[in-house]
Amino acid sequence: MADFGSDSSEKKEEFFSEAQEIVDGLGKLLLDLEGAITESRIDPDVINEMFRAVHTLKGIAGLFGATRMSGMSHELENMLDDVRMGRLDLSVAVLDLLFKAVDLYTHILLFERGDAPDPEHEIAKLLSLFAQVTQPDESPTSNIFTQYDLDPGMFGVLTEYEEHRLKSNIEAGLGLFRLRVRFSLTILDSALEDLKKKAKPLGEIITYLPAPSTDESDFENLELDILMSSKSDAALIDRTLSVEGLVVNPVKRRAAGGPPPKPQAPVSRSPLPKIGAPPSLPPPTIAGPGRLPADLMPETRAGTPKAPPAKSGRPGARTSMAPHAPGQAGQFVGKSAAQTTVRVDIRKLDRLMTILGELAIVRSAVGRLAERLRGSVEHRELGTELHRLHRTFERQLAQMQNGILEVRMVQLGPVFDKLQRGLRAISREYSRPVNLVITGQETEIDKLIVEELSDPLMHMVRNAFDHGIEPVEDRLSVGKPEVGTIALNAYQKGNHVVIEVEDDGRGMDPKLIIASAIRKGVITEDESREMSARDAYRLVFMPGFSTKVVVTDLSGRGVGLDVVKTNISKLGGIVDVTSDVGIGTKMTITLPVTLAIINVLIVEIGGRSFAIPLASVEEAFVYEPTLTRNVEGREVLSLRGQSLPICHLSTLFQIDSFDAEGHDGRKFYVVTVAVGIRRLGLLVDRLEGQQDIVIKPLGKSLKSVHGFAGAAELGDQRVALVLDVAAIVEEVLAGDQSRYLAMSGDGRI
Amino acid sequence: MSDLIRRPVRDMRRAADMGKRVEYLAFMLGTQIYAVPIQHIAEILKPPPITEIPRAPRNVVGIISVRGKLVTVFDLRRRFGLIESPFDRRTRILLTDTGDDEPIGLLVDEVRQVYRLAEHEIEPAAALGGDQPAYIFGIGRQDDALLVLLELKALLES
């Protein structure tokens, strides 16, 4: 395990979060790469960026003594370097290894945290696979450069990487161009960056070298000789780059069979000097901003036993010069986006939120004071002034609150990327092709929710794959496309975020589910009789339920969807299922956008205050006992043609309330809450009003108590419990769901 | 010279002897005096309004807010099956601090005093006869007082 020394938990946390961020980024790059491969258009920058990410990981892992991680990074770095240099083809097998490595990183991080067993064995396995694919390829490469009318002097200074890029560009059928440009030394760096940026849409700048100046006395400017590959013509390049004094010359292709120039042959032009070589040149400042520290360069591979011997296409290529080649350094563009963001420990935000909550309490006290002053004769003016101040205070507090909430929000994208990687792995492992279609990855949700979301979602996706998507033969026989599709959709709906996992697989047959549930003793035959299709779907969330006869590695290991459901409801969310046999299954998760601050309706039951999150409240109205009926032992209210089951909270919570015995003319209220498509009327004594609260969790000692999401201070030291609406709806409706559903006739799917 | 040397040694002995003494906070539950190591008590509170938790275990009185933090309050009288007297001006809540566990509140009828008990003043719980629960780790005796010494960790876990 990593050695963090004592009293460095913060550093440790920083290491974990930074490492995790890099690993997540790697996963994302990998997916980009895979997409690019299928379109056979690989962006070398992606590979470079991965290389850099792995290098950084190696660095920080080394710093923190996480030897497992630094060791693996070292090998991975070598492999990526081979890919980068074209020594290793980016085959599907290589890609698989990269995906495995990313997953293993996550495992290693868990291990370093002490949350997972030592992955030593897995690492060794992966490394041996690395070694297999990186066996040096000894087949000689044909020198295709000779087909071009380029002077060998230029080839002579190409780094191995540049040579590889040049080669693959030529192979891709791109034309070569030689550009001459003159930049002032003072703006050289930025001008070059700018040029590269402009050139990117057209092609790639392979290398740039200082050219022998035409004017020996000119020390202000530097002339550059640039080699660029592009599919466009010279005129277009000239127009696009639009640099003053730019000269673009296409490099001619030799006639086939033409005599290749001998590398040693004397050339008419003086050979292009390497930067720093000619004494007449001013000190080189090229490759400033994009330059990598020297240790990032391939020379770090020197001590690697497994690395294939560096080979070059031609004799005499100077690999020893590679580490400081400006052309290569220019390939790495600084990660400027990272510099504008800060990493914040979410607990710090929680503290701010708590302070804000206390400020809100102060605010309401000030508000009350203002009202009192306004009510008195002699202080009315003061009161009005205070009232105005109070309003401003209120508004700005709200803004601040929104600001803090915004900071807590993160996009779902990284979670979805992780799912995509996971699905890819199992899809390949089981040779059952599947397409993951993602929409709404930009949907934002509370950081804390996101962290808890990836496991349940992964389980659902695996479940969709394992139980949903049929084997290819089965799909073809019913006329479905060979490749199954799993869709992952996210969108915001009011104060909730909805995430759907939908597959076009075989669907769930309610009859089979019920039969299986009876067999497993989850329900009795009697209970099964009144079950609707929807009841049946809900059975899959019962502990100990699994419809698949064969237990696979993926799902059906006993850890079932019931865990998914528990985890989601811990986050204040719910899971619903709909399915059509033969067409597919859709699971829907509905989650609150944030956990931090919520707007609640304060109600009173038996003299006690309770808070109901407004996000779940649909409406509140006066209770009319005469409009309710008793159906199968449950009180039901007919509301606009729909049945609304009523729950007496006083009964549920065993509180003596006024409504317990006879109604003696008192008014009661029904608060209609909705969770997903399920609705329930909560009967309360009184409505007190709305309030924004900072919800705090109940202590560990109360974790066995269900029905409350936490508690919040209301001011004047009063603490109110916040109802966990999802849990209550679940408890009340699922407690005897068969009866309720049969009665309400709700078979909507 | 020898005097100068001897005296500090004697002082040190006394200090070592005193070091073995542990401070206990004594409080009343019903008619019995109980005590817990004072290092595990962070604060003694006058009871603020307590919010009851429906369906909570019987020995949970409810939750209170202590400077923005929620604290669960337990009623040790219910825990030990003692007579419950209503809150009065002597009723207090002891806020625990055992380091690892979350702080909790212990409702007590009255806070008495701090006893500094030496090892020889503590008898093992077995002195009470029979099997004693793990959270009673001994009986403290000083002057006329008889204290039931509670082990907080075991009490919180039981």
Side-chain angles (χ1 to χ4, degrees), chain A residues 180-246:
Chain A
R180 267 286 171 132
V181 70
R182 176 194 280 265
F183 286 131
S184 159
L185 277 173
T186 50
I187 57 150
L188 187 62
D189 290 342
S190 57
L192 263 174
E193 283 305 314
D194 193 42
L195 191 72
K196 273 193 266 178
K197 217 179 283 164
K198 281 196 226 157
K200 184 125 193 181
L202 295 180
E204 188 177 341
I205 289 185
I206 308 283
T207 189
Y208 47 91
L209 303 164
S213 184
T214 42
D215 180 2
E216 293 288 331
S217 62
D218 183 4
F219 292 109
E220 306 289 307
N221 295 303
L222 183 64
E223 254 190 78
L224 288 174
D225 203 351
I226 299 171
L227 185 63
M228 177 180 172
S229 64
S230 172
K231 48 186 179 297
S232 322
D233 57 25
L236 184 63
I237 293 175
D238 196 6
R239 259 202 321 280
T240 312
L241 299 184
S242 69
V243 177
E244 216 187 296
L246 177 76

Side-chain angles (χ1 to χ4, degrees), chain A residues 532-547:
Chain A
S532 67
R534 257 188 91 210
D535 299 339
Y537 297 144
R538 286 205 193 120
L539 288 174
V540 302
F541 294 110
M542 303 283 270
F545 184 89
S546 170
T547 42

Side-chain angles (χ1 to χ4, degrees), chain A residues 508-557:
Chain A
M508 298 196 294
D509 187 340
K511 287 193 210 83
L512 288 182
I513 295 173
I514 289 173
S516 168
I518 295 172
R519 216 168 39 243
K520 297 193 174 78
V522 178
I523 51 166
T524 65
E525 215 151 320
D526 271 354
E527 284 173 316
S528 76
R529 257 176 224 122
E530 295 175 14
M531 287 203 145
S532 67
R534 257 188 91 210
D535 299 339
Y537 297 144
R538 286 205 193 120
L539 288 174
V540 302
F541 294 110
M542 303 283 270
F545 184 89
S546 170
T547 42
K548 199 130 195 221
V549 185
V550 186
V551 172
T552 67
D553 271 359
L554 307 182
S555 24
R557 276 180 301 188

Side-chain angles (χ1 to χ4, degrees), chain A residues 608 696 700-701 706 719 731, chain B residues 51-52 54-55 65 68 102:
Chain A
R608 298 168 174 86
K696 289 167 190 161
K700 273 206 303 266
S701 39
H706 297 290
V719 176
E731 177 182 345
Chain B
T51 302
E52 289 174 39
R55 309 194 287 182
S65 166
E102 56 169 355

Side-chain angles (χ1 to χ4, degrees), chain A residues 620-630 635-639 644 646 648 659 663 665-671 682-684:
Chain A
F621 50 87
V622 175
Y623 173 63
E624 283 289 345
T626 52
L627 293 180
T628 65
R629 287 170 298 136
N630 246 316
E635 190 175 345
V636 174
L637 189 74
S638 295
L639 188 65
L644 179 70
I646 298 291
H648 291 241
D659 91 298
H663 296 301
R666 227 176 241 279
K667 270 189 195 162
F668 297 97
Y669 295 86
V670 175
V671 178
L682 301 175
L683 193 65
V684 302

Side-chain angles (χ1 to χ4, degrees), chain A residues 84 138 198 259 266 402 415 418 501-502 506 543 579 701:
Chain A
R84 211 161 69 97
E138 295 299 347
K198 281 196 226 157
N402 282 338
V415 177
K418 204 167 148 194
V501 179
E502 195 173 2
R506 58 171 77 89
S579 186
S701 39

Side-chain angles (χ1 to χ4, degrees), chain A residues 397-631:
Chain A
L397 264 186
Q399 278 174 11
M400 192 163 152
Q401 183 181 309
N402 282 338
I404 295 178
L405 282 184
E406 241 169 67
V407 176
R408 293 173 60 102
M409 301 297 238
V410 292
Q411 296 198 348
L412 280 170
V415 177
F416 284 5
D417 290 343
K418 204 167 148 194
L419 294 176
Q420 195 168 349
R421 288 202 305 276
L423 183 63
R424 181 190 181 280
I426 52 175
S427 157
R428 284 188 54 77
E429 191 176 333
Y430 287 76
S431 321
R432 207 186 304 163
V434 65
N435 230 336
L436 186 67
V437 181
I438 292 178
T439 61
Q441 62 264 52
E442 70 288 340
T443 310
E444 290 194 329
I445 195 164
D446 196 297
K447 168 95 173 145
L448 284 182
I449 299 181
V450 161
E451 274 166 14
E452 300 298 318
L453 209 52
S454 69
D455 284 351
L457 274 179
M458 181 53 90
H459 204 100
M460 288 165 77
V461 168
R462 286 184 169 204
N463 192 76
F465 177 82
D466 198 35
H467 298 301
I469 306 294
E470 313 91 329
V472 174
E473 318 82 76
D474 294 14
R475 290 185 67 88
L476 291 176
S477 72
V478 293
K480 283 188 186 178
E482 181 181 336
V483 177
T485 299
I486 295 178
L488 209 53
N489 310 314
Y491 52 92
Q492 188 164 354
K493 192 176 165 191
N495 282 327
H496 285 95
V497 166
V498 180
I499 303 173
E500 299 167 348
V501 179
E502 195 173 2
D503 66 67
D504 69 345
R506 58 171 77 89
M508 298 196 294
D509 187 340
K511 287 193 210 83
L512 288 182
I513 295 173
I514 289 173
S516 168
I518 295 172
R519 216 168 39 243
K520 297 193 174 78
V522 178
I523 51 166
T524 65
E525 215 151 320
D526 271 354
E527 284 173 316
S528 76
R529 257 176 224 122
E530 295 175 14
M531 287 203 145
S532 67
R534 257 188 91 210
D535 299 339
Y537 297 144
R538 286 205 193 120
L539 288 174
V540 302
F541 294 110
M542 303 283 270
F545 184 89
S546 170
T547 42
K548 199 130 195 221
V549 185
V550 186
V551 172
T552 67
D553 271 359
L554 307 182
S555 24
R557 276 180 301 188
V559 189
L561 287 170
D562 60 312
V563 178
V564 169
K565 188 175 150 187
T566 317
N567 289 345
I568 294 296
S569 48
K570 267 191 212 141
L571 298 172
I574 52 138
V575 193
D576 261 315
V577 196
T578 58
S579 186
D580 283 312
V581 176
I583 294 174
T585 303
K586 175 155 111 184
M587 297 211 179
T588 310
I589 299 180
T590 311
L591 288 160
V593 168
T594 181
L595 298 173
I597 257 207
I598 50 172
N599 193 224
V600 293
L601 175 69
I602 309 283
V603 300
E604 202 182 287
I605 306 158
R608 298 168 174 86
S609 294
F610 291 91
I612 307 176
L614 261 183
S616 325
V617 174
E618 279 196 341
E619 59 179 336
F621 50 87
V622 175
Y623 173 63
E624 283 289 345
T626 52
L627 293 180
T628 65
R629 287 170 298 136
N630 246 316
V631 186

